[in-house]
Amino acid sequence: MSRGLGDVYKRQVYSCMDEIDGPFAVINADDYYGVEAFKLIYDYLSTHADDDKYRYTMVGYHLANTVTDNGYVSRGVCETNENGELISVTERTRIEKYNGGVAYTEDDGNTWVQVPDDITVSMNMWGLTPEFVGLLEEGFVEFFENIKGDEAKELKGEYLLPIYIDELLKKGKVSVKLLETQDKWFGVTYPEDKQIVQDSINELIEQGI
């Protein structure tokens, strides 16, 4: 039940293409991102425009603000350049609280790599410009050609937004400004998370947030 980069699918954005006429944000519909994250992404999208590159953005979270007490999760660890622009997102498919901190394993728990609590991870909050839907349409044709004839992939193949943006980054067509938030992310990855999320949201309501 762990979730990560694969949660946002390009087809969901693609289905909205006739409604998009300005900069827009993409989020996972079942996650809570916090107030600051929306302010950050709005401020960036309302003050930046495409030029020689498509100027996208992504809100990143401190890893410790996104993990659960109830098991492991999948998180995309972000790497940036000196300008705070995204270079890559490396998916760690098993990352959890471990030995008083947070660590990931790539061999079913035989060995662990400790990572800083404040390392920045992607939670699929992207800020995009309207021209993205045109790129998406071109990419969808290529994606479909690659799976055509494979019945299983035609039925269930996932057109993944973060992977496509990573492809555009490698081609030098886009820049993605990483905006860091101190907000805590809430999501129900495991059934045991439900009460924690409910209590956390109720506390925010009581605080007037």
Side-chain angles (χ1 to χ4, degrees):
M1 293 188 66
S2 63
R3 300 176 305 160
L5 292 180
D7 292 324
V8 177
Y9 308 114
K10 298 192 205 87
R11 66 172 182 263
Q12 295 170 333
V13 178
Y14 186 70
S15 67
C16 300
M17 63 183 301
D18 292 336
E19 305 299 324
I20 294 173
D21 58 5
F24 62 101
V26 182
I27 63 171
N28 293 344
D30 56 350
D31 293 341
Y32 174 81
Y33 287 90
V35 174
E36 183 188 33
F38 286 95
K39 290 180 178 178
L40 287 171
I41 209 163
Y42 173 83
D43 288 344
Y44 184 89
L45 290 175
S46 61
T47 55
H48 292 76
D50 294 335
D51 42 45
D52 59 320
K53 288 186 177 182
Y54 298 103
R55 300 293 175 178
Y56 304 153
T57 188
M58 186 196 78
V59 176
Y61 288 74
H62 289 173
L63 176 60
N65 289 336
T66 73
V67 292
T68 173
D69 292 325
N70 299 308
Y72 68 87
V73 294
S74 179
R75 294 288 180 262
V77 178
C78 301
E79 180 184 359
T80 60
N81 61 21
E82 65 276 6
N83 297 319
E85 297 170 338
L86 199 63
I87 296 175
S88 65
V89 179
T90 302
E91 181 79 343
R92 300 299 182 191
T93 57
R94 183 173 174 181
I95 191 165
E96 60 186 272
K97 292 184 177 181
Y98 177 81
N99 198 27
V102 183
Y104 70 86
T105 179
E106 296 180 327
D107 55 10
D108 291 326
N110 291 317
T111 59
W112 292 87
V113 178
Q114 207 83 18
V115 291
D117 287 357
D118 61 353
I119 196 170
T120 305
V121 295
S122 167
M123 299 307 297
N124 283 330
M125 189 174 199
W126 300 91
L128 306 168
T129 58
E131 288 74 20
F132 180 73
V133 293
L135 295 173
L136 198 59
E137 189 167 24
E138 294 175 12
F140 183 75
V141 173
E142 182 178 350
F143 165 79
F144 189 73
E145 286 296 324
N146 289 335
I147 67 169
K148 193 162 59 176
D150 186 324
E151 185 175 352
K153 287 184 178 179
E154 285 184 5
L155 288 173
K156 297 184 178 180
E158 297 173 346
Y159 191 35
L160 304 179
L161 179 65
I163 292 177
Y164 183 57
I165 292 177
D166 186 58
E167 291 174 1
L168 294 174
L169 276 171
K170 290 175 180 175
K171 293 177 181 178
K173 291 185 175 182
V174 307
S175 72
V176 179
K177 181 69 174 179
L178 182 63
L179 309 173
E180 293 191 30
T181 179
Q182 304 292 324
D183 277 342
K184 185 172 174 58
W185 170 94
F186 303 139
V188 182
T189 305
Y190 296 92
E192 295 83 359
D193 292 333
K194 179 181 177 182
Q195 190 61 52
I196 296 171
V197 171
Q198 287 178 328
D199 292 344
S200 298
I201 291 177
N202 283 332
E203 184 178 344
L204 292 173
I205 292 172
E206 291 174 3
Q207 294 173 1
I209 298 175

